Amino acid sequence: MNNYATKEYCSLMVVNVGELALKLKNRGWFEDKLINNIRANVQEFNVASIERLYGRIVLRFREPHSVESLKNKLCRIFGVASIAPAVVAGTALANIEETVISCLEGRPVQTFAIRAKRIEKTLPYRSQEVNERIGRAVLSKFKDAKVDLDNPQLTIGIDILSDACYIYLDKFKGAGGLPIGTGGKVLSLISGGIDSPVASWRMMRRGCLVSFIHFHSMPFTDSASIEKVNEICKILSEWQGSKARLIMIPFGNIQKKIVTAANEKYRIILYRRFMMRIAEALAHKLEAEALITGEALGQVASQTLSNIATVGSSVSIPILRPLIGMDKQEIVDLAKIVGTYELSIEPHQDCCQFLEPRHPVTYTTLHELAEAEASQNFKKETTERPDRVLGDEWADWSGEFGKDVDSGAGLFLLFSFVVVLLIDLALFGFYYLALPRLAEFHHLLPSAVVSLILVWVGLSGILVLQLLLTVLSGRNLFFFQKGAFILFDLVFTRVFKLAKLIGITRDKMGHSFVLVSNAVVRAVSRKMANKKLMILLPRCLTKETLQEVYKLKEHYPVEIFTVSGGELARKRVKEVMPSAIIGIACERDLVSGIRDVGNKIPVIGLPNTRPNGPCKDTLIDVEELKKAVEFYLGGD
């Protein structure tokens, strides 16, 4: 049944494309995108064909489907201006008249209007002639009916093409705008409030494929904002037609540092500048071309014109603010249409309310903020290590979910050898260039210098060779206990700088370093009888994984701590003073921890896997963890 339409069921749907019809040379590309989006959204229906016809898209189904079900799907697809369940007739006026009367069977007709459009201009009649003839036929069939062109109870639509005519009695407004994917990729800073979901929706409506980034203050606040944002993103994903990426950023530690380092009145602006920088770094990873915020001019203290400019100046990527000229009621009304309003008004503490200043500044200049961020106290507090700025745990993320760092121990070993070789060459180069001058100072000085260089070359070469053989054999082949850590101190910084120079990420090199360090620890360390073993876990592990790890305490004499970062981990180590440590974290935190305590306390590092990106619902191979525990406690 391929030509059937009632108020409840239809086998054919006409989709009007609205502004896409104005796109001229690019129109085909926009309509192809829309057709692909429609096809993806109606897979559950038995679709026979999808056809593009004169600014319309016609969907034919192999069997009738519920109009309500189709409306719920199609009217949420951006680029769809309206939809109409329709039947097909021939282009002859008699055939059109017969089909219209047939469609009206069983329908109450009180007041009506005919809206005919003759798309094919070569037909031997005009649109007005169709309006008049079909109108007379309806009046003849329904004696009590009246024509009302201004506010009819029933509108009969007739679209006449070259070889067919589409007739419809019901027409439903669609989402409008442009098809998702035509506006590029963007990253939205989303909170649990009313504004940012609406801002995201408005940019989806302009064809943008939106990913989301949410800054939260756990564990200093509850998880309400995280739970809300998850639910809000599910609603927005329905509008987008596919599951949107949602990235959770723990922001509480950064806020604490800013509170310690900066003037209270600047807190909110500094929070937002840090958020923008982190979001910009992630946008580059996701190939997003712009950021989205829910800012509306003058709505809160941070959204004055000067503050918006100051926050925006912290990044070079474009910032889209689709709500900038809207008042609150307009935004609320849109939130109700989108379906996020009821969720958004549920109480929660977002990261901007956490450690909020009593009197936030309403006017700032770039000079003021640059001075605040340039102060030594601010730099000290917002840098955990000389090479690590707060919030940079996402900087080396590939932008791909489910893809973890994968590099072997050989990478760090190779670069260690290359670094030592480059130092050797640099020393011999210095000797060659300085030789004439050295002899002028003392005739024995050249011999002394070359002797020192040869000693360095010999010792460094032996250390590299010992490290290589120790890793390969699993046996301790160092002549003295701290040999590996002396070599690490010599080459570590230079290895990472060289890797960066040729495009190898810190995480990839860090992963390799952790494997090398683990091999050295296993070769050097011995069984620990009646000594303290500490396991350090990150807060970002899934709840199920945390529970599984804590069950190890039932079988092994271990102390397990969940920590939110390197600072708290170092504090726990000082308090407990363990004999050995098993650390579970991302490569950056593991490298930092091994470098801090590895030459005093043996550390085995187990990198977590990150199917949802850094810092969210990470995983660990518990069997590998058990093996590490048994290595320490039971020998190997």
Side-chain angles (χ1 to χ4, degrees):
M1 213 188 265
N2 56 12
N3 193 28
Y4 178 89
T6 66
K7 198 171 182 66
E8 291 80 24
Y9 293 91
C10 73
S11 58
L12 186 146
M13 188 73 77
V14 174
V15 176
N16 287 289
V17 299
E19 68 175 287
L20 268 60
L22 307 176
K23 294 300 178 183
L24 299 178
K25 292 181 180 180
N26 292 324
R27 176 172 161 181
W29 179 74
F30 279 89
E31 289 183 348
D32 285 343
K33 285 281 189 181
L34 179 56
I35 288 172
N36 289 338
N37 294 347
I38 290 172
R39 184 176 285 113
N41 276 272
V42 297
Q43 290 179 358
E44 64 193 83
F45 302 99
N46 198 356
V47 180
S49 66
I50 301 178
E51 186 179 6
R52 183 167 60 202
L53 293 172
Y54 301 98
R56 294 156 182 77
I57 294 170
V58 178
L59 281 75
R60 291 182 172 84
F61 305 96
R62 292 189 175 87
E63 58 192 28
H65 288 285
S66 160
V67 170
E68 189 66 23
S69 298
L70 288 167
K71 183 177 76 170
N72 289 340
K73 282 287 185 181
L74 293 170
C75 288
R76 295 172 76 91
I77 299 174
F78 294 111
V80 173
S82 65
I83 63 170
V87 296
V88 184
T91 57
L93 288 176
N95 192 245
I96 295 172
E97 179 182 321
E98 180 185 351
T99 305
V100 168
I101 298 303
S102 173
C103 289
L104 290 173
E105 290 293 338
R107 289 251 192 169
V109 183
Q110 298 167 356
T111 60
F112 72 95
I114 310 295
R115 309 290 190 200
K117 293 179 184 177
R118 185 181 59 130
I119 311 301
E120 177 54 64
K121 303 303 181 185
T122 61
L123 291 170
Y125 50 78
R126 295 186 302 170
S127 298
Q128 185 57 29
E129 292 177 53
V130 178
N131 290 336
E132 291 171 359
R133 175 162 177 170
I134 303 304
R136 285 194 298 270
V138 173
L139 289 171
S140 175
K141 177 70 175 177
F142 300 92
K143 303 300 183 183
D144 296 328
K146 294 180 181 180
V147 174
D148 185 344
L149 300 181
D150 297 320
N151 189 29
Q153 167 254 334
L154 178 67
T155 299
I156 302 168
I158 304 172
D159 292 351
I160 309 167
L161 279 63
S162 59
D163 57 354
C165 171
Y166 294 90
I167 297 166
Y168 47 90
L169 306 181
D170 299 298
K171 193 173 184 179
F172 306 102
K173 185 178 179 181
L178 301 175
I180 293 291
T182 59
K185 296 179 182 178
V186 293
L187 179 62
S188 177
L189 284 77
I190 191 164
S191 69
I194 296 172
D195 301 341
S196 55
V198 175
S200 304
W201 181 86
R202 282 176 66 90
M203 294 316 302
M204 287 179 183
R205 194 167 184 261
R206 299 313 299 161
C208 291
L209 183 65
V210 181
S211 298
F212 299 97
I213 179 171
H214 175 65
F215 294 89
H216 65 84
S217 297
M218 280 191 68
F220 308 107
T221 61
D222 60 29
S223 61
S225 76
I226 292 176
E227 293 162 4
K228 280 179 64 175
V229 167
N230 267 310
E231 293 304 312
I232 287 170
C233 286
K234 287 179 184 177
I235 294 171
L236 293 172
S237 292
E238 291 175 9
W239 285 97
Q240 187 155 269
S242 60
K243 185 178 180 181
R245 289 176 169 176
L246 171 59
I247 301 160
M248 296 286 186
I249 302 289
F251 200 63
N253 280 329
I254 298 178
Q255 289 174 282
K256 285 177 64 181
K257 298 286 187 180
I258 291 173
V259 168
T260 304
N263 189 314
E264 179 187 359
K265 66 180 182 178
Y266 293 132
R267 280 183 199 169
I268 293 291
I269 307 303
L270 289 169
Y271 292 165
R272 294 188 66 79
R273 282 170 66 87
F274 262 81
M275 290 179 194
M276 290 294 177
R277 288 169 181 145
I278 295 169
E280 181 181 41
L282 280 174
H284 292 319
K285 298 292 182 183
L286 295 169
E287 298 181 344
E289 300 173 72
L291 304 178
I292 303 172
T293 71
E295 292 163 307
L297 188 61
Q299 190 175 122
V300 294
S302 65
Q303 294 174 15
T304 62
L305 203 54
S306 66
N307 285 347
I308 288 173
T310 304
V311 170
S313 68
S314 61
V315 294
S316 58
I317 193 170
I319 301 174
L320 307 178
R321 302 178 176 91
L323 310 185
I324 196 69
M326 298 178 69
D327 66 33
K328 194 65 179 183
Q329 191 55 51
E330 289 175 312
I331 298 170
V332 166
D333 292 343
L334 260 182
K336 291 176 180 177
I337 292 171
V338 175
T340 56
Y341 177 73
E342 294 300 329
L343 274 172
S344 294
I345 61 173
E346 292 178 4
H348 78 282
Q349 272 189 303
D350 68 25
C351 66
C352 285
Q353 293 169 326
F354 174 61
L355 298 175
E356 187 174 5
R358 289 167 294 178
H359 303 293
V361 64
T362 58
Y363 179 86
T364 56
T365 65
L366 179 57
H367 177 72
E368 286 178 302
L369 270 295
E371 274 193 349
E373 291 180 348
S375 71
Q376 288 302 310
N377 187 42
F378 188 87
K379 285 184 176 179
K380 179 182 176 183
E381 290 296 336
T382 55
T383 306
E384 290 186 332
R385 300 178 60 88
D387 60 345
R388 182 162 187 189
V389 177
L390 282 167
D392 76 347
E393 56 265 37
W394 290 77
D396 281 342
W397 180 49
S398 66
E400 297 182 43
F401 289 97
K403 185 174 181 180
D404 293 296
V405 178
D406 184 18
S407 57
L411 185 66
F412 184 81
L413 292 172
L414 173 63
F415 272 70
S416 298
F417 170 75
V418 170
V419 165
V420 169
L421 182 61
L422 289 174
I423 294 173
D424 294 346
L425 292 174
L427 289 173
F428 279 114
F430 165 77
Y431 175 75
Y432 176 77
L433 294 173
L435 181 60
R437 295 295 183 105
L438 293 174
E440 291 177 7
F441 286 102
H442 195 282
H443 70 281
L444 295 178
L445 191 56
S447 299
V449 170
V450 78
S451 297
L452 290 173
I453 292 174
L454 290 172
V455 169
W456 155 261
V457 171
L459 288 176
S460 60
I462 289 170
L463 285 173
V464 171
L465 182 61
Q466 288 176 329
L467 177 63
L468 175 63
L469 294 175
T470 298
V471 171
L472 291 177
S473 68
R475 297 171 57 194
N476 181 16
L477 298 177
F478 285 97
F479 295 156
F480 43 94
Q481 187 71 20
K482 302 294 183 181
F485 296 100
I486 292 172
L487 180 61
F488 291 162
D489 288 339
L490 287 173
V491 303
F492 183 86
T493 302
R494 295 171 182 84
V495 162
F496 277 79
K497 284 183 177 178
L498 180 61
K500 182 179 180 182
L501 192 64
I502 63 174
I504 296 174
T505 65
R506 287 185 61 84
D507 282 350
K508 192 166 187 176
M509 185 57 73
H511 190 92
S512 181
F513 170 76
V514 170
L515 295 180
V516 170
S517 175
N518 287 351
V520 171
V521 168
R522 289 178 182 275
V524 172
S525 300
R526 298 179 180 178
K527 176 181 174 181
M528 303 185 316
N530 303 317
K531 292 187 178 180
K532 292 181 183 177
L533 174 60
M534 169 188 276
I535 299 176
L536 292 173
L537 307 175
R539 290 188 181 274
C540 59
L541 288 174
T542 64
K543 184 178 178 182
E544 294 77 14
T545 304
L546 282 169
Q547 289 172 345
E548 198 171 350
V549 172
Y550 271 94
K551 286 180 182 177
L552 294 179
K553 296 180 75 171
E554 299 172 9
H555 306 285
Y556 304 99
V558 296
E559 297 191 48
I560 303 176
F561 297 94
T562 303
V563 294
S564 59
E567 186 178 340
L568 186 55
R570 287 186 282 274
K571 183 179 177 183
R572 289 294 188 196
V573 170
K574 287 180 181 178
E575 290 172 352
V576 177
M577 292 302 293
S579 304
I581 299 170
I582 299 172
I584 297 168
C586 63
E587 284 77 9
R588 289 196 168 202
D589 283 340
L590 289 177
V591 169
S592 173
I594 291 169
R595 295 281 291 147
D596 277 346
V597 303
N599 62 343
K600 307 179 189 75
I601 304 171
V603 178
I604 288 180
L606 301 178
N608 55 14
T609 56
R610 303 178 282 279
N612 298 298
C615 306
K616 183 188 177 187
D617 294 338
T618 60
L619 304 171
I620 185 68
D621 187 336
V622 178
E623 289 304 314
E624 284 298 312
L625 176 57
K626 287 180 182 178
K627 289 178 183 178
V629 171
E630 289 168 358
F631 163 75
Y632 278 129
L633 299 180
D636 194 39

